[in-house]
Amino acid sequence: MKRSPRRCFTVVQTALLALATTLALPAVQAQTAAPKPRIEKAADLPRFSYPLTGKLEDVVRQSTAFAPLAAALRRNTEGVLAGYDIPDKGTRRDLINLLAVLDYLDGQFTSALARADEVRALQDKPADRLLSGLRLRAMARAAQAHGPSGEAFQQAVADTLRRELAAMPFGVIENDIKQAKAGAELMGEALMLGRVREVLQPMASAAGSLSNEFAPALVYARFGLQAVLPLKARLIEVYTGYLAQHQTQKADIWAARDVVLPAGGRHTRVPLAVWDSGVDLPLFKDQLLRDAAGAPVVMAFDKYARPAQGPLQAIPPELVAKLPQLTARTKGFSDLQSNIDSPEASEVKQLLSTLAPDRYKAVIEEFGLAGNYQHGTHVAGIAMAGNPHAQLVVARIEFGHTLMPDPCPSRELSQRDAANAQTQVDFFKRHGVRVVNMSWGGSVGAIESELEQCGTVKSADARKALARELFDTLKNGLSKAFASAPGILFVAAAGNSNSDASFAEDTPADIVLPNLISVGAVDLAGDEASFTSYGPTVKVHANGYQVESYLPGGLRVALSGTSMAAPQVANLAAKLLAVNPTLTPQAMIEVIAGTAERSADGRRVLMHPKKALAAVQAMPAR
């Protein structure tokens, strides 16, 4: 399975099975519909295939080319919602939202409003309950009054957004509005059509069709290009004005909870492994676990699951000179997310909003490569902070960064990945590792999608079956490897897809073992991050929004993701072990979750390092 730093569910079939059968009862009784098939996992959703030939950009731009696809997507989406029992709210939200956008594009503005309200009613996160569908609702109301274009339409959209935002609590929606502003500033035709041109077009040209994992992207590209992009200046104006009127900074709940261990004393050294994309070792030179020869302890595999060398991913020679520029762009993205007007943010806005079509692939892949290169170092900085007794062990893996999968999923690759998982866990055991951070993941749906992108398996049913086989091979290998090390605590990031990690089968976050804990993300004030995944395996939440740490070379930049939340828990676990090295993984999980504070809505379990450390210090000596 191709792992990625902390995608939707499945690929699809050519037809929907007839579902609504009835059960014959005695003549005096009414007929009762048979129970709908229940969707227990995302991979159980039905599959569809949409014939698409010719230029997909024409489908996006031309009504006559778009109409047949829109009708087929509408028919199948409505059929799934009517014909299946889908308990997962996230899946229902996605399906209904697709219908709402189709309604808007079809001029059915009243229906679009009704469906947007349906989506909002399915939201659980406080900010989502307020903001869900806000822009679409404003556009639909304005279109009802003025038609879907023109000065009066644009002014009505802006007025509605201002009015509704003014009535909302800033502390709840602040992060989302900053992200909305950044998104509006980056909007441009090349970005909206880039994936259509560079990913979907090659797939459709090769196969003559797209599954319902990929076909909806054409709907959203049309909506973005025709309906949203003309509103760019108005959206920026509204969001900028709202943020300018609300300068209050969120309260930081984490500073008072933090614990910094002093050097020396009766603390125990704790080997902590960062199983990630690699680490810039000189940044942690005083905290490295070293072997008998004095060399840092490092194990590495490349993205083809072959043994590799070095603590950091190798950068292609032609990009080495661009690393400072790519690092600056990472800072620019971070500044945009924080609504900071900086030269780096301005450069990113200018680059992406005016990107030439023939530059899309190269630029986006450069961003992906740089992000992967930086990821492990940033995670390590969080995991090692405030603990001079933690000793860093590096387990390097590589994540794919290209628009099309490289490598493509295969039995051989999955088997190597599974074997490597055991090899890496055995490596941890040999070096006395007590805590392992894993800020990465992948799902059965992601494998199925990659198989379609690669075009190596033509049948949707065959793709589904092979994806399940490959996923189970790796998940079983990971589970077996984790279970073979009962003395190690494995910390997993929940994922960034705003979905139930268990329903989506996003591993390792969905694995249930006594020595594994999955972590969701909140922000500085403890409010749930818009991106964080959730579900029964997510036992605790930590700060994962704009967390400052190192990039290779030493620049400190704030990044967001459950990737940044998981190492907060790994950090705490290592501190607990430094105080009491007899703690088992089960005991650490009990202390971390037991001393956390549950929010009033029950959705967030906020870790409390100071309370956890006090609880361990109060334990009787063994």
Side-chain angles (χ1 to χ4, degrees):
M1 175 174 57
K2 177 182 175 181
R3 294 166 288 196
S4 59
R6 303 300 292 156
R7 201 194 113 127
C8 266
F9 31 92
T10 54
V11 224
V12 287
Q13 247 175 349
T14 54
L16 178 63
L17 296 175
L19 301 169
T21 58
T22 57
L23 176 66
L25 295 175
V28 294
Q29 297 180 349
Q31 287 187 325
T32 302
K36 297 177 182 179
R38 186 175 174 88
I39 303 296
E40 299 289 356
K41 297 289 185 182
D44 297 334
L45 285 157
R47 286 144 176 78
F48 305 93
S49 182
Y50 299 93
L52 287 162
T53 57
K55 195 173 180 181
L56 294 187
E57 192 170 333
D58 292 342
V59 176
V60 173
R61 293 185 183 274
Q62 299 174 8
S63 297
T64 53
F66 180 72
L69 173 64
L73 280 166
R74 180 185 295 279
R75 180 175 61 252
N76 291 332
T77 304
E78 289 176 341
V80 170
L81 285 165
Y84 288 87
D85 175 14
I86 307 175
D88 182 67
K89 290 183 179 180
T91 298
R92 299 209 307 278
R93 290 195 302 261
D94 289 341
L95 295 171
I96 298 168
N97 187 67
L98 175 60
L99 292 173
V101 173
L102 286 169
D103 286 340
Y104 184 90
L105 291 172
D106 197 34
Q108 300 179 41
F109 305 123
T110 301
S111 180
L113 283 167
R115 293 197 201 271
D117 286 339
E118 283 187 72
V119 174
R120 182 164 54 174
L122 290 168
Q123 300 288 1
D124 290 318
K125 295 178 180 178
D128 290 344
R129 290 199 298 267
L130 293 168
L131 293 170
S132 176
L134 176 62
R135 185 182 65 189
L136 178 61
R137 294 197 310 274
M139 292 168 63
R141 291 193 187 106
Q144 285 177 320
H146 306 285
S149 63
E151 175 63 25
F153 163 77
Q154 293 194 9
Q155 186 62 51
V157 171
D159 290 345
T160 299
L161 290 174
R162 286 193 188 94
R163 183 174 61 253
E164 295 208 17
L165 288 174
M168 296 180 187
F170 177 68
V172 178
I173 67 170
E174 173 186 357
N175 297 338
D176 299 75
I177 300 304
K178 288 178 179 178
Q179 292 171 37
K181 175 177 177 285
E185 290 172 326
L186 294 175
M187 276 197 297
E189 184 171 300
L191 279 188
M192 290 183 171
L193 290 174
R195 184 168 173 81
V196 173
R197 294 163 170 159
E198 299 292 346
V199 177
L200 304 185
Q201 185 66 65
M203 295 170 62
S205 297
S209 64
L210 292 175
S211 76
N212 65 324
E213 166 68 10
F214 293 96
L218 298 173
V219 176
Y220 293 115
R222 181 175 175 83
F223 178 68
L225 191 65
Q226 295 198 348
V228 181
L229 187 57
L231 289 165
K232 174 174 179 170
R234 298 285 185 154
L235 295 174
I236 294 172
E237 177 187 339
V238 170
Y239 299 142
T240 300
Y242 178 78
L243 292 170
Q245 293 169 4
H246 299 81
Q247 297 293 332
T248 305
Q249 296 296 314
K250 280 197 169 192
D252 180 0
I253 69 167
W254 300 107
R257 297 172 180 229
D258 195 20
V259 173
V260 176
L261 295 183
R266 301 183 62 182
H267 294 98
T268 300
R269 290 182 297 176
V270 181
L272 184 160
V274 172
W275 192 351
D276 210 293
S277 65
V279 177
D280 187 1
L281 295 184
L283 298 176
F284 306 95
K285 60 182 183 298
D286 297 327
Q287 289 183 281
L288 300 175
L289 183 68
R290 298 180 182 274
D291 60 21
V297 174
V298 177
M299 174 175 278
F301 291 94
D302 66 16
K303 65 181 180 179
Y304 305 103
R306 301 175 305 205
Q309 298 295 319
L312 276 171
Q313 180 173 347
I315 299 296
E318 65 272 17
L319 292 181
V320 170
K322 294 187 70 172
L323 275 177
Q325 181 186 56
L326 297 178
T327 298
R329 289 177 180 171
T330 298
K331 181 181 181 300
F333 269 121
S334 175
D335 290 345
L336 283 172
Q337 190 166 0
S338 293
N339 195 35
I340 295 172
D341 186 10
S342 68
E344 293 89 350
S346 296
E347 194 272 338
V348 168
K349 284 189 290 187
Q350 176 68 16
L351 172 71
L352 293 182
S353 63
T354 63
L355 191 63
D358 61 353
R359 288 284 297 146
Y360 175 86
K361 181 176 184 293
V363 169
I364 298 305
E365 290 186 346
E366 284 176 7
F367 275 119
L369 178 62
N372 292 348
Y373 175 76
Q374 297 158 353
H375 192 265
T377 299
H378 198 274
V379 167
I382 298 168
M384 304 299 287
N387 187 2
H389 313 288
Q391 296 182 301
L392 179 61
V393 173
V394 177
R396 181 169 73 79
I397 52 178
E398 291 182 7
F399 307 130
H401 70 279
T402 51
L403 293 177
M404 300 299 282
D406 177 24
C408 289
S410 68
R411 288 186 176 90
E412 181 184 9
L413 181 64
S414 185
Q415 289 164 0
R416 285 206 305 266
D417 267 329
N420 289 348
Q422 187 65 64
T423 299
Q424 286 174 303
V425 170
D426 290 342
F427 164 77
F428 299 147
K429 289 190 288 187
R430 286 198 307 273
H431 292 284
V433 169
R434 299 296 307 279
V435 182
V436 176
N437 189 86
M438 305 178 297
S439 288
W440 46 264
S443 68
V444 62
I447 297 175
E448 200 169 345
S449 296
E450 289 173 357
L451 287 170
E452 182 179 359
Q453 287 181 270
C454 291
T456 51
V457 182
K458 303 301 182 183
S459 159
D461 287 339
R463 286 198 300 268
K464 176 183 177 181
L466 181 57
R468 170 58 61 188
E469 176 190 337
L470 302 185
F471 175 80
D472 286 348
T473 295
L474 181 56
K475 182 177 178 179
N476 292 339
L478 284 170
S479 299
K480 181 181 177 181
F482 299 156
S484 74
I488 298 176
L489 176 64
F490 293 89
V491 183
N496 300 328
S497 60
N498 188 22
S499 63
D500 186 318
S502 296
F503 180 81
E505 296 182 273
D506 197 347
T507 207
D510 69 328
I511 292 176
V512 178
L513 283 172
N515 62 332
L516 187 147
I517 184 171
S518 295
V519 185
V522 294
D523 69 5
L524 199 66
D527 294 324
E528 199 166 10
S530 60
F531 53 79
T532 187
S533 291
Y534 46 84
T537 62
V538 180
K539 299 302 183 185
V540 71
H541 295 79
N543 187 14
Y545 186 82
Q546 291 300 84
V547 181
E548 188 176 283
S549 183
Y550 295 106
L551 301 185
L555 181 67
R556 290 185 66 83
V557 171
L559 299 179
S560 298
T562 53
S563 284
M564 284 67 242
Q568 310 270 4
V569 173
N571 175 290
L572 174 55
K575 288 173 178 173
L576 299 182
L577 287 167
V579 171
N580 184 348
T582 69
L583 291 172
T584 64
Q586 297 92 319
M588 284 186 280
I589 292 172
E590 182 178 339
V591 168
I592 292 169
T595 57
E597 296 178 349
R598 186 172 293 274
S599 61
D601 62 8
R603 289 185 56 83
R604 292 159 290 147
V605 183
L606 304 175
M607 63 177 279
H608 201 305
K610 191 166 288 183
K611 286 185 177 180
L613 191 66
V616 168
Q617 290 170 330
M619 290 178 177
R622 297 186 181 183

